[in-house]
Amino acid sequence: MTKFYISTMKQRLLATLVIAAFYLLPLMAQEHISSPNGKIQLSVGLKSGRPYYELKYHDRNIFNTSFLGYKLSDGNLDSDFKIISCTRTTKDETWQQVWGEEEFVKNHYNELTIHLQQKKGLKRKLDIVFRIFDDGIGFRYIIPEQKTLNTIIINEEETQFALAHDAEAWSIPSNHTEYFEGIYRKSLISTKDTVCTPLTIEYEPDIYLSIHEAALNDYASLNLTPRGNTLTSALTPWSNGIKVYGNKNLMSPWRTVIVVQKATDLLLSRIMLNLNDPCKIEDTSWIKPGKYIGIWWSIHKKKNTWEMGPNHGATTANVKRYIDFAARHGFSGILAEGWNPGWGNGEKITYQKSYPDFNIEEVNQYARSKGVRFIGHMESWGNSKLIETEMDSVFRWFHSMDMNTVKTGYVGHKFDGKELSKSQYGIRHYRKVIETAARYHIMINNHEPAMPTGIQRTWPNLMTQEGVRGQEYNAWDKKGGNPPEHTATLPYTRGLAGPTDFTPAIFNFSEVIKGTRPHSTLAKQLAEFVIIYSPLQMAADEIENYEGQPALTFIENCPTTWSQMVVPNGKIGQYITIARKERNGDSWFLGSLTDNKARELDVRLDFLDADKKYTAIIYEDGPEADFETNPMAMSIRQIKVDCNSTLHLKLARSGGAAVQLKVASKL
Amino acid sequence: MTKFYISTMKQRLLATLVIAAFYLLPLMAQEHISSPNGKIQLSVGLKSGRPYYELKYHDRNIFNTSFLGYKLSDGNLDSDFKIISCTRTTKDETWQQVWGEEEFVKNHYNELTIHLQQKKGLKRKLDIVFRIFDDGIGFRYIIPEQKTLNTIIINEEETQFALAHDAEAWSIPSNHTEYFEGIYRKSLISTKDTVCTPLTIEYEPDIYLSIHEAALNDYASLNLTPRGNTLTSALTPWSNGIKVYGNKNLMSPWRTVIVVQKATDLLLSRIMLNLNDPCKIEDTSWIKPGKYIGIWWSIHKKKNTWEMGPNHGATTANVKRYIDFAARHGFSGILAEGWNPGWGNGEKITYQKSYPDFNIEEVNQYARSKGVRFIGHMESWGNSKLIETEMDSVFRWFHSMDMNTVKTGYVGHKFDGKELSKSQYGIRHYRKVIETAARYHIMINNHEPAMPTGIQRTWPNLMTQEGVRGQEYNAWDKKGGNPPEHTATLPYTRGLAGPTDFTPAIFNFSEVIKGTRPHSTLAKQLAEFVIIYSPLQMAADEIENYEGQPALTFIENCPTTWSQMVVPNGKIGQYITIARKERNGDSWFLGSLTDNKARELDVRLDFLDADKKYTAIIYEDGPEADFETNPMAMSIRQIKVDCNSTLHLKLARSGGAAVQLKVASKL
């Protein structure tokens, strides 16, 4: 009797709940999705017709209700929506990089796509795709082809990142004329003006975020404008104010948020790469990471000139000296800026003519005879149309001479006097150059670029890019060059966007102009060679300053493509240690550097193979080293270590350490 | 009155003395001659018809009456003499070396020639020429042409060095089958058996001597046999017992004695070079000092073989690897032993055939394309006749391939199965090879040579020679290789005879056979590269062991021809420090090494240019370095110094330090 009673009660209760759920659904439509490890939880839904998402990490709020959508030129695409359907998928794959900081990249995520349609008017459709990884999220908009939409013209993207509370973050201002060559400053988000991405946030002592984008192929670059704790997308406009021109359909770049517990883990996230398309180049055998030297620093130091004259740098004789040095010390490439007429003086730049004192055929032949490649240079002064007109014949010519690398440059405020380089106009240009170069087996080192977004996965001939405040500021910056903390900040900020042609390894710290020189010790310059990743890494100093320096041995041995990396320690803007394992061998290379504070760091070598003994060749600051008074004081020692050892590193003020760990012979 | 008395007394006294002198003269005929600075005094004369000399230094007896002369096959030339006349000359010149430890050599001496004639019998004539320098003496015999002497056949030379007292000396036994590859042992002269020269003597705490010979061109090598404190010449015989065949006249090599106050000054004496004839090669532009590597150590380690087989070292592919390395690291030459058939197995050695796995034209062409020279090798197994028969065509062939260096070798107990290599027979052969090589612009590196006597001044294409217990003993010597003190002894002994192809710079100290490996630290290996002089200096290790070693930078930078040298400190068989200034530049290179005792040495840098600042790059033993337990522990540091600085060097047990001092840039 009692038993029966209880069971019927259960049935009634169940019935009631089902009915309730049925009525509530349309009002509070919400979908949930978590990362594979469950630590990151995303909720997506509509609030009175407006699409939004919310993000939790370890059950703590990261983003409160953050709305999503567009303003198109012929109507809004940000409200009045209903959810038509949702699709979910899961992927767990590992793919191989042609080159990079790691050989194999794990791509494991849960995906949710919500298909939306506006309830009234043109009943336009919008899809939003979310991918949740264990170390962050990515999402993108898809505007599918639909009768009521002939050409897509975006006036604004309205993506929000509504942080649950204010936080310190490192950023450079979204200054459209500086090519991202600013110093990353730490300040409260609420106090910032519009900033570029990556935006790196110290959200809580055990939560670090970095907001950026991936796969920027035919769209405007992302900027973020804070209002209180809420960051809203601010796309880089065309000169007419329009943000993006689409066709009948449109797929936005991915908006990415790295979410990790330690600042050092930011560097290990591969979300950006995973959200780019796989390699589109079939035969990649001609793509060769390497190291290069060049006639460059001497020009920034005003010892040489780009233009022809008594101090012209790029003369046949001088470049041959550099080629000899490159051959002797194992550099694969040699750059010489200013061999082609048209420098500065308003004269139209030319790419296939040489100054009379430079014979490119002779130089190139000499380089080839020594196993070195002469690197082509195409500075456009922002005249991107000129490059697009000439690139086919120039690349064909370079290729016919067996040259395999070109450095492109865009010094000048606007592309073709009109458009911003990081606008959709510029983005389209950059991609055209990369794709054209690929056809001629040319690797690209792009200066004054848009902020990188990982498209080197798709086009691995895009080797490295500037978009950073590099070494040259130490030659002529009236404010005194880059501060000691600069390269202790870059790995956590600009570095997250990909390879950086910072041009490290200055070995002579004489003042260039009063008060200006690299504010660094010699050992720190070596550390930067490991820490600031570039598959084409420049040893930037004049060859005279490398002669006789045992420290050069580290650079000679340090590769530029890797199989693994670890980040044993680091604090944003203060210090960092990175260890990388060479792609084709057993050696590890470790770099450690600090800001203007001297530090002692213990580095556990537990990443070494357990069954091997290693010789550690340690390049470190000498006891008397100091970046201001004695930057050259370096000590190199050699000890035996294994995976149970701990390296005790002493870094001077703005000092560093660089270590090669090679599998040891018996004694 | 008193005045007058005294004066007449004086006159009488004077008269008496004059008369006495007049009568005594024939009985005690003696001539005196001093060094330019007066510190060395030589007396020469006859005692009852026997020519003799006596030597004083700072008025202290070095040699008591030491008789001179010959036993010829047809009579003695050592007694019954009278002095016919004496001639005296003085010379003060400075001459330039084509290459060497110093660019300019001071040649300042007083010369006395005594012309003797026997009073009875055949009345034969003998001249003896003495040259007195500030740092020692040289003398030679001249048997002038004379009716009573048709062909000169020397049964014995009877030159004495009658030390005033016994003393410790460093020597190797005059073992005619060891090619001078012994360990220099310290013992009392009176206890020694017949020894080779140079014989280095710690005569008194402030007097050091070294007895050797100069200009051994067509004569027998000198050995010395002690009887008590008196050393007597013992020439190396022909197989028939004859010592030397002359013609109608004969001029002996110079017998040399360095006489200095400090052991370290022995190294600065240029008596041997000064007593050789000036350069006979007009155009010396093709003579180029340099550094070389080679397939050599790996063979002595039994990892490779000379003969063809699975582990053949001199294969085209392997040699090309070495050429690549040489080109990259600035070595001018590459040696590969065992490319020509005829190794060991009794087969007749050939010089113009190659093993099937080695293509000399291909290798040589490859080397030339990389700016490196392939070094020819002519091992004769003591078959010197074979070399004399083939050398013209072989040298012509090498020259036609633009090769410029040949290593000759004579492993085998006797020349042509019969004569000793250091006999007149061998001496004549060696000189023929050098002169022939000069005609084809070939530089010679001669192994299993006679003890050098400075003829490289006359024939500067004789670059370097073995005649030393070299590195190879560390690979296979059953007694455990060279002891730690070995290279702390060589500079004061074998080194005084000239360039030494010791083949230093082993970077891997793994045991070769049980208990055998270089008993040295890594830093000591670098020090040896400076201290043991050779204008063709080998970096002897396998290239694999140099890869990644910053220590290699020192070797890359260290030249092999110099403008100046100084020896800041040293004790024979214990330690030594040498600093050398590069021939064409401002850099100094300093080496310091010790025996099995760890030491701390202060080195004053007062030899540096007073008006310059220098950067000292110091390669030294690490704190934990020890030649037995941790030979690889090395520390490299960089400091600023000038001529008022003192370097404090810490040398581990059998350790060392190597320092490059380069003119410094501002900071």
Side-chain angles (χ1 to χ4, degrees):
Chain A
M1 158 66 192
T2 315
K3 251 196 195 153
F4 163 80
Y5 173 76
I6 290 168
S7 75
T8 50
M9 283 299 286
K10 273 208 198 127
Q11 285 160 4
R12 281 186 194 147
L13 180 61
L14 184 61
T16 320
L17 288 172
V18 170
I19 292 153
F22 177 80
Y23 284 109
L24 290 168
L25 203 54
L27 306 173
M28 45 168 291
Q30 195 173 48
E31 296 287 331
H32 300 285
I33 183 169
S34 300
S35 57
N37 67 4
K39 300 285 168 51
I40 298 179
Q41 301 108 14
L42 186 87
S43 306
V44 185
L46 298 173
K47 281 193 176 166
S48 47
R50 297 179 62 192
Y52 73 92
Y53 71 101
E54 292 164 358
L55 189 71
K56 282 187 162 55
Y57 180 52
H58 288 277
D59 301 316
R60 286 143 74 186
N61 293 332
I62 306 297
F63 297 136
N64 294 338
T65 302
S66 303
F67 290 104
L68 302 164
Y70 280 115
K71 287 215 183 313
L72 304 183
S73 61
D74 65 348
N76 299 352
L77 201 61
D78 58 0
S79 56
D80 187 37
F81 282 111
K82 63 180 177 196
I83 298 175
I84 300 165
S85 66
C86 297
T87 48
R88 292 167 181 273
T89 66
T90 286
K91 189 165 208 172
D92 186 356
E93 63 169 4
T94 297
W95 56 278
Q96 184 177 24
Q97 295 202 80
V98 176
W99 49 260
E101 292 175 283
E102 292 179 325
E103 182 166 11
F104 295 101
V105 176
K106 188 173 174 57
N107 181 28
H108 189 193
Y109 60 80
N110 295 326
E111 179 181 285
L112 166 69
T113 306
I114 55 167
H115 304 279
L116 305 173
Q117 184 165 24
Q118 291 177 310
K119 289 175 279 184
K120 309 195 205 67
L122 299 169
K123 300 197 171 171
R124 282 179 171 162
K125 292 181 189 148
L126 175 67
D127 298 344
I128 310 177
V129 187
F130 296 88
R131 286 184 185 171
I132 322 300
F133 304 81
D134 285 341
D135 57 356
I137 66 164
F139 59 89
R140 85 183 331 169
Y141 300 96
I142 298 173
I143 304 176
E145 186 164 356
Q146 43 199 297
K147 292 194 198 59
T148 63
L149 197 51
N150 293 327
T151 317
I152 299 164
I153 298 176
I154 295 173
N155 285 358
E156 195 50 271
E157 174 186 325
E158 298 173 312
T159 302
Q160 290 185 342
F161 304 89
L163 290 156
H165 61 70
D166 202 356
E168 299 279 357
W170 286 262
S171 63
I172 52 174
S174 172
N175 178 330
H176 297 322
T177 62
E178 253 193 0
Y179 333 110
F180 310 98
E181 298 181 8
I183 292 169
Y184 284 80
R185 305 277 183 201
K186 183 181 188 183
S187 62
L188 283 169
I189 288 170
S190 58
T191 66
K192 289 181 187 284
D193 200 343
T194 300
V195 297
C196 302
T197 64
L199 173 68
T200 296
I201 305 167
E202 190 172 44
Y203 187 63
E204 279 171 27
D206 60 349
I207 301 180
Y208 288 82
L209 314 173
S210 186
I211 305 175
H212 186 38
E213 63 182 321
L216 175 58
N217 282 300
D218 183 8
Y219 202 83
S221 297
L222 178 66
N223 308 283
L224 297 171
T225 305
R227 285 188 206 79
N229 310 337
T230 298
L231 295 151
T232 305
S233 58
L235 299 184
T236 306
W238 290 67
S239 53
N240 62 8
I242 299 294
K243 300 294 166 44
V244 176
Y245 290 96
N247 303 317
K248 295 200 170 309
N249 56 42
L250 177 139
M251 192 182 271
S252 78
W254 293 90
R255 279 62 189 94
T256 61
V257 185
I258 303 173
V259 186
V260 288
Q261 286 181 290
K262 298 197 309 253
T264 50
D265 289 340
L266 292 169
L267 284 71
L268 301 175
S269 173
R270 301 291 172 248
I271 291 178
M272 182 182 70
L273 286 173
N274 279 326
L275 293 172
N276 273 271
D277 293 337
C279 181
K280 288 194 168 143
I281 301 173
E282 267 189 21
D283 168 17
T284 58
S285 58
W286 53 274
I287 298 173
K288 294 185 159 46
K291 288 168 284 192
Y292 71 103
I293 54 172
I295 291 158
W296 177 85
W297 181 241
S298 62
I299 306 176
H300 282 282
K301 281 170 76 174
K302 310 246 187 309
K303 176 177 156 188
N304 288 138
T305 60
W306 277 287
E307 305 80 7
M308 206 168 98
N311 303 319
H312 188 208
T315 65
T316 299
N318 198 28
V319 174
K320 280 184 171 179
R321 279 193 327 122
Y322 272 71
I323 290 168
D324 290 338
F325 186 90
R328 270 193 58 185
H329 296 281
F331 292 93
S332 54
I334 143 96
L335 172 75
E337 293 198 357
W339 60 268
N340 49 338
W343 279 83
N345 49 25
E347 216 184 313
K348 182 155 163 294
I349 190 88
T350 57
Y351 301 126
Q352 301 193 56
K353 258 187 269 151
S354 303
Y355 282 122
D357 58 359
F358 182 83
N359 182 330
I360 188 170
E361 284 81 6
E362 182 182 345
V363 162
N364 183 64
Q365 211 157 36
Y366 189 72
R368 298 303 299 127
S369 79
K370 300 239 166 183
V372 179
R373 307 282 194 136
F374 182 64
I375 296 173
H377 189 216
M378 294 177 78
E379 173 55 57
S380 67
W381 309 107
N383 187 348
S384 66
K385 274 217 180 74
L386 176 68
I387 287 191
E388 289 185 32
T389 319
E390 298 210 2
M391 61 185 173
D392 264 288
S393 70
V394 174
F395 289 161
R396 187 180 302 109
W397 178 51
F398 285 165
H399 183 58
S400 74
M401 288 195 290
D402 205 16
M403 289 165 57
N404 66 357
T405 312
V406 171
K407 177 180 178 179
T408 50
Y410 300 89
V411 175
H413 286 338
K414 298 266 176 87
F415 270 20
D416 308 318
K418 194 169 173 211
E419 303 296 343
L420 296 167
S421 58
K422 59 190 223 180
S423 69
Q424 186 180 26
Y425 181 90
I427 299 304
R428 285 175 169 172
H429 167 77
Y430 290 125
R431 211 194 62 247
K432 265 187 225 132
V433 174
I434 297 159
E435 294 185 24
T436 309
R439 285 205 302 279
Y440 296 99
H441 290 193
I442 298 283
M443 297 182 275
I444 293 295
N445 172 358
N446 183 25
H447 277 230
E448 297 84 30
M451 180 58 69
T453 62
I455 63 178
Q456 71 269 20
R457 177 184 178 185
T458 314
W459 301 102
N461 64 313
L462 172 58
M463 303 303 283
T464 188
Q465 303 195 74
E466 192 178 31
V468 68
R469 184 182 166 97
Q471 191 77 262
E472 66 274 20
Y473 280 78
N474 292 323
W476 41 249
D477 174 38
K478 293 281 185 300
K479 300 193 207 72
N482 300 326
E485 67 272 20
H486 187 49
T487 52
T489 308
L490 289 179
Y492 305 94
T493 52
R494 163 62 180 85
L496 303 178
T500 311
D501 194 30
F502 179 82
T503 63
I506 297 302
F507 274 32
N508 179 330
F509 299 90
S510 316
E511 277 193 339
V512 180
I513 59 170
K514 186 85 194 105
T516 301
R517 63 163 178 88
H519 300 299
S520 158
T521 66
L522 179 57
K524 185 177 184 177
Q525 292 291 309
L526 297 186
E528 288 176 359
F529 207 82
V530 176
I531 286 169
I532 303 174
Y533 179 64
S534 179
L536 296 181
Q537 187 70 293
M538 184 180 203
D541 209 338
E542 301 169 83
I543 54 180
E544 293 79 358
N545 295 327
Y546 293 131
E547 290 289 2
Q549 282 294 349
L552 183 64
T553 306
F554 183 83
I555 288 171
E556 289 178 313
N557 287 281
C558 189
T560 59
T561 184
W562 309 95
S563 63
Q564 296 175 53
M565 78 178 269
V566 295
V567 189
N569 59 48
K571 277 203 164 60
I572 303 173
Q574 296 178 46
Y575 66 96
I576 188 164
T577 303
I578 296 179
R580 305 182 187 274
K581 187 180 187 189
E582 63 185 339
R583 177 75 76 103
N584 305 310
D586 292 328
S587 280
W588 284 78
F589 292 76
L590 181 147
S592 187
L593 60 80
T594 178
D595 57 7
N596 61 2
K597 204 155 151 296
R599 298 175 198 277
E600 302 201 9
L601 298 176
D602 283 320
V603 181
R604 294 191 48 227
L605 301 182
D606 47 12
F607 51 84
L608 295 177
D609 292 2
D611 62 342
K612 295 193 177 75
K613 299 272 173 207
Y614 293 79
T615 298
I617 305 177
I618 303 165
Y619 303 69
E620 62 195 340
D621 295 316
E624 60 291 326
D626 179 281
F627 81 98
E628 284 179 308
T629 60
N630 196 352
M632 291 297 286
M634 156 174 279
S635 164
I636 306 175
R637 64 192 160 102
Q638 188 157 313
I639 59 173
K640 293 261 168 294
V641 296
D642 60 29
C643 64
N644 302 313
S645 309
T646 295
L647 276 185
H648 184 70
L649 301 175
K650 292 183 183 175
L651 313 181
R653 296 173 57 235
S654 198
V659 183
Q660 180 178 6
L661 296 143
K662 52 192 291 197
V663 174
S665 54
K666 256 180 284 115
L667 189 70
Chain B
M1 158 65 188
T2 315
K3 252 199 195 141
F4 165 80
Y5 172 77
I6 292 166
S7 72
T8 50
M9 283 297 287
K10 274 205 198 128
Q11 286 158 6
R12 284 184 193 145
L13 181 60
L14 184 62
T16 321
L17 290 173
V18 170
I19 293 155
F22 177 80
Y23 284 108
L24 292 167
L25 204 55
L27 306 172
M28 44 169 288
Q30 195 172 47
E31 293 288 331
H32 301 284
I33 183 168
S34 301
S35 57
N37 67 4
K39 299 289 169 52
I40 298 180
Q41 300 108 12
L42 186 88
S43 305
V44 185
L46 298 174
K47 282 193 175 165
S48 47
R50 297 179 63 193
Y52 73 93
Y53 71 101
E54 293 164 358
L55 189 71
K56 281 189 164 57
Y57 180 53
H58 287 275
D59 301 315
R60 285 143 74 185
N61 292 333
I62 305 298
F63 297 136
N64 294 338
T65 301
S66 302
F67 290 105
L68 302 165
Y70 281 116
K71 289 216 183 309
L72 303 182
S73 61
D74 65 347
N76 299 352
L77 202 60
D78 57 1
S79 56
D80 186 38
F81 282 111
K82 65 180 176 194
I83 297 176
I84 300 167
S85 67
C86 296
T87 50
R88 292 168 181 271
T89 66
T90 287
K91 188 166 210 173
D92 186 355
E93 63 169 2
T94 297
W95 56 278
Q96 185 177 23
Q97 295 201 81
V98 176
W99 49 260
E101 292 175 281
E102 291 179 328
E103 181 165 11
F104 296 101
V105 176
K106 190 173 172 57
N107 180 28
H108 188 192
Y109 59 81
N110 294 327
E111 179 180 285
L112 167 68
T113 307
I114 55 168
H115 304 278
L116 305 173
Q117 185 165 25
Q118 291 178 308
K119 290 175 280 185
K120 307 193 205 68
L122 299 169
K123 300 198 170 172
R124 282 179 170 162
K125 292 182 190 147
L126 174 68
D127 298 343
I128 309 176
V129 188
F130 296 88
R131 287 186 184 170
I132 321 300
F133 304 81
D134 286 340
D135 56 356
I137 67 165
F139 59 89
R140 86 184 328 170
Y141 300 96
I142 297 173
I143 305 178
E145 186 165 356
Q146 43 199 296
K147 290 192 199 61
T148 65
L149 197 51
N150 293 327
T151 318
I152 299 164
I153 298 173
I154 296 174
N155 286 358
E156 195 49 88
E157 175 187 325
E158 297 173 313
T159 302
Q160 290 186 342
F161 303 89
L163 289 156
H165 61 72
D166 203 354
E168 299 279 359
W170 286 261
S171 62
I172 52 175
S174 172
N175 178 331
H176 298 322
T177 62
E178 254 193 359
Y179 332 110
F180 310 99
E181 297 180 9
I183 293 171
Y184 284 81
R185 306 278 183 201
K186 184 182 187 182
S187 63
L188 284 170
I189 289 171
S190 58
T191 67
K192 290 181 187 283
D193 200 345
T194 300
V195 298
C196 301
T197 65
L199 174 68
T200 296
I201 304 166
E202 188 172 43
Y203 188 64
E204 280 172 27
D206 60 349
I207 301 180
Y208 288 82
L209 314 173
S210 185
I211 304 175
H212 187 36
E213 62 182 321
L216 175 57
N217 282 299
D218 183 8
Y219 201 83
S221 296
L222 178 65
N223 309 282
L224 297 171
T225 304
R227 285 187 206 81
N229 311 337
T230 297
L231 295 152
T232 306
S233 58
L235 299 184
T236 306
W238 288 69
S239 52
N240 62 6
I242 298 295
K243 301 295 168 44
V244 175
Y245 291 97
N247 300 319
K248 295 198 170 309
N249 56 44
L250 177 141
M251 192 183 271
S252 78
W254 293 89
R255 279 63 189 94
T256 61
V257 186
I258 302 173
V259 185
V260 289
Q261 287 181 291
K262 296 189 301 187
T264 50
D265 288 341
L266 292 169
L267 284 71
L268 300 176
S269 173
R270 301 293 170 247
I271 290 178
M272 182 182 71
L273 286 173
N274 279 326
L275 292 173
N276 272 271
D277 292 337
C279 181
K280 287 194 171 147
I281 301 173
E282 266 189 20
D283 168 17
T284 58
S285 59
W286 54 273
I287 299 172
K288 294 184 160 47
K291 289 168 286 194
Y292 72 102
I293 55 174
I295 292 159
W296 177 84
W297 181 241
S298 61
I299 306 176
H300 283 282
K301 281 170 75 175
K302 310 243 186 308
K303 177 178 156 186
N304 288 138
T305 58
W306 277 289
E307 306 81 5
M308 206 167 100
N311 302 320
H312 188 209
T315 65
T316 299
N318 198 27
V319 174
K320 281 184 170 179
R321 281 192 327 120
Y322 271 72
I323 290 168
D324 290 337
F325 186 89
R328 270 193 57 187
H329 296 280
F331 291 93
S332 54
I334 143 97
L335 171 74
E337 293 197 359
W339 60 268
N340 49 337
W343 280 84
N345 49 24
E347 216 184 311
K348 183 155 164 293
I349 192 85
T350 57
Y351 302 126
Q352 300 193 54
K353 260 188 268 149
S354 301
Y355 281 123
D357 59 357
F358 181 82
N359 181 330
I360 188 170
E361 283 81 5
E362 181 183 344
V363 161
N364 184 63
Q365 211 157 38
Y366 188 72
R368 298 303 298 127
S369 78
K370 300 238 166 183
V372 178
R373 307 282 193 134
F374 182 66
I375 296 173
H377 189 214
M378 294 177 79
E379 173 54 58
S380 67
W381 309 108
N383 187 347
S384 66
K385 274 216 181 75
L386 176 68
I387 287 192
E388 290 185 31
T389 318
E390 296 209 4
M391 62 184 172
D392 264 287
S393 69
V394 173
F395 290 160
R396 187 181 302 109
W397 178 50
F398 285 164
H399 183 58
S400 74
M401 288 195 290
D402 204 17
M403 289 165 58
N404 67 357
T405 312
V406 170
K407 177 180 178 178
T408 50
Y410 300 88
V411 175
H413 286 337
K414 298 265 176 89
F415 270 20
D416 308 318
K418 194 170 174 212
E419 303 297 344
L420 296 167
S421 58
K422 59 190 227 182
S423 69
Q424 185 179 30
Y425 180 90
I427 298 304
R428 284 174 170 172
H429 167 77
Y430 291 124
R431 210 193 62 246
K432 265 187 227 133
V433 174
I434 297 159
E435 293 185 24
T436 309
R439 285 205 303 278
Y440 296 100
H441 290 193
I442 298 283
M443 296 182 277
I444 293 294
N445 172 359
N446 182 26
H447 278 230
E448 297 83 31
M451 181 58 70
T453 62
I455 64 178
Q456 72 270 21
R457 177 185 178 184
T458 313
W459 300 102
N461 65 313
L462 172 59
M463 303 304 282
T464 188
Q465 303 193 76
E466 191 178 31
V468 68
R469 184 182 166 95
Q471 191 77 261
E472 67 274 22
Y473 281 78
N474 292 322
W476 42 250
D477 175 38
K478 293 284 184 301
K479 298 190 210 75
N482 300 326
E485 67 273 21
H486 187 50
T487 52
T489 308
L490 288 180
Y492 305 93
T493 53
R494 163 61 179 85
L496 302 179
T500 312
D501 194 30
F502 180 83
T503 63
I506 297 301
F507 275 32
N508 179 331
F509 299 91
S510 316
E511 277 192 340
V512 180
I513 60 169
K514 186 85 194 104
T516 301
R517 63 165 178 87
H519 300 299
S520 158
T521 65
L522 179 57
K524 185 177 183 177
Q525 291 293 310
L526 296 187
E528 289 176 357
F529 207 83
V530 177
I531 286 169
I532 303 174
Y533 179 64
S534 179
L536 297 182
Q537 186 71 292
M538 183 179 204
D541 208 338
E542 300 170 82
I543 55 179
E544 293 80 357
N545 295 327
Y546 293 131
E547 289 291 0
Q549 282 294 351
L552 184 64
T553 306
F554 183 83
I555 287 170
E556 289 178 314
N557 287 280
C558 189
T560 60
T561 183
W562 309 94
S563 64
Q564 296 175 55
M565 78 177 270
V566 294
V567 189
N569 58 47
K571 276 201 165 61
I572 303 173
Q574 296 179 47
Y575 66 96
I576 187 163
T577 303
I578 296 179
R580 306 183 186 273
K581 188 181 186 186
E582 63 184 341
R583 177 73 77 102
N584 305 310
D586 292 328
S587 280
W588 284 78
F589 292 77
L590 180 146
S592 186
L593 61 79
T594 179
D595 57 8
N596 61 3
K597 204 156 151 293
R599 298 175 198 275
E600 300 201 11
L601 298 175
D602 282 321
V603 182
R604 292 189 50 226
L605 301 182
D606 47 12
F607 51 83
L608 296 177
D609 292 1
D611 63 342
K612 294 194 178 73
K613 299 273 174 208
Y614 294 79
T615 298
I617 305 176
I618 303 166
Y619 302 69
E620 62 195 340
D621 295 318
E624 60 291 326
D626 178 280
F627 81 98
E628 284 178 310
T629 60
N630 196 352
M632 291 297 287
M634 155 173 280
S635 163
I636 307 174
R637 63 191 159 101
Q638 187 156 314
I639 58 173
K640 292 263 167 296
V641 297
D642 60 30
C643 64
N644 302 312
S645 310
T646 295
L647 276 185
H648 184 70
L649 301 176
K650 293 183 182 175
L651 313 182
R653 295 173 57 236
S654 197
V659 183
Q660 179 179 7
L661 296 142
K662 51 194 289 198
V663 174
S665 54
K666 256 181 284 115
L667 189 67

